[in-house]
Amino acid sequence: MLSSVMSWLAWLGLAVLLTAVAAITGIKPKGTRHIAHTRLMGVARLALLALVIIFAYLAFRARSGG
């Protein structure tokens, strides 16, 4: 049972990681609008960084038992 739970969790983690990389680097399909260097993308990157910091802090607190 644990292996099937880890399997979907691992796939979800991989999808989140790929999405974050695509969002940060500004990868886009051909024929779409360019938004990599707009103000909205800058704010999105800042929000993503804030979420990463918050989750890293929560993981650190959970690991240290505090």
Side-chain angles (χ1 to χ4, degrees):
M1 175 101 181
L2 182 59
S3 63
S4 66
V5 171
M6 291 304 291
S7 177
W8 75 264
L9 193 57
W11 281 110
L12 179 64
L14 182 62
V16 168
L17 183 65
L18 287 174
T19 303
V21 168
I24 292 171
T25 60
I27 296 172
K28 66 179 187 69
K30 287 184 178 181
T32 58
R33 293 174 46 187
H34 182 71
I35 62 161
H37 298 292
T38 61
R39 185 177 301 154
L40 181 61
M41 194 63 186
V43 172
R45 288 180 179 136
L46 185 63
L48 183 61
L49 179 63
L51 283 174
V52 167
I53 290 171
I54 290 169
F55 283 127
Y57 174 73
L58 291 175
F60 175 74
R61 293 279 302 202
R63 184 176 174 136
S64 67

